[in-house]
Amino acid sequence: MSVSAAYVTFADPDGVDDEQEPTLAAWAEAGITGHVVRWDDPEVDWAAFDAVVVRSVWDYVDRRAEFLDWARRVESVTRLLNPAAVLERNTDKTYLRDLKAPAIPTYWVAPGEAVDFPVLDEYVVKPTVSAGARDTIRTGDRQEAEAHAARLAAEGRTAMIQPYLDMVETEGETSLLYFGGRFSHAIRRNPMLAGNATTPGEGNDHGELRTPDPDQVTLAEQVLAEFPGVLYARVDLVRLPDGSPVLIELELTEPYLFLRYAPDAAANLARALAEAL
């Protein structure tokens, strides 16, 4: 029986999604015919696919409500991966407040609230709905941090304030990749806001293979236990100054999966999709 799946992307004039090719090749090896489609293409018959897999939808940030409406419509006619409820929760980083697993200390400033957070050595301030390092600043100037948080709140967005951890530049962030609930590979990622980056987010899709420590695996699986039924997940971890691992972000919507960094990564994703179908 022929099985078809949509690989969902966005209108990408620069062709920056370099994971499309290995994904489709691995799907074909697993007996799944892949079709590359834009999520906002009005001509697509989503019911024609056995599964619709959300991948490089990197323009959703400015159109989140429209994107979530699309996800719910698709899910009403076929299998959407990851599910619409997961996408809705994950596209607003306030999900960090609700997790049982330990996460990096975060302070929140919602529209209409006073800007109030502790004194930190260095601040990272960003909106809860964002991608990459968009509208994100790193600063040691408290007034600048307060002003940026106030500006985001005045725009109707919730601001989040976190401490900048120097060890990100030495140990780096560790990203653990899971497909179908199984560990696939881990990456040491380049810091997005390091002082040697020429633009925010530069180097975010570059890293090197890493064997995660047992405490990192334990934490990643604790986090994922709160999101059952996802096809793909990237769990981004850092260590606090006391050495304990914490979640900095959970990517369940459109993460870069570092498929080219591990020989079996694309095949692992294809196997998970085949099993889901």
Side-chain angles (χ1 to χ4, degrees), residues 32-57:
I32 302 169
T33 301
H35 303 268
V36 178
V37 289
R38 295 196 336 263
W39 71 269
D40 58 353
D41 184 344
E43 302 301 320
V44 176
D45 177 10
W46 300 104
F49 300 109
D50 297 291
V52 172
V53 181
V54 178
R55 287 305 304 121
S56 48
V57 290

Side-chain angles (χ1 to χ4, degrees), residues 4 6 9 12 46 52 69 80 85 89 103 106 132 134 145-146 169 206 208 219 233 257 269-270:
S4 67
T9 184
D12 178 12
W46 300 104
V52 172
D69 285 344
L80 179 68
R89 184 180 180 190
T106 304
R134 184 173 179 180
E146 290 177 339
E169 298 183 30
H206 293 79
E208 59 188 9
L219 175 54
L257 298 175
L269 176 59

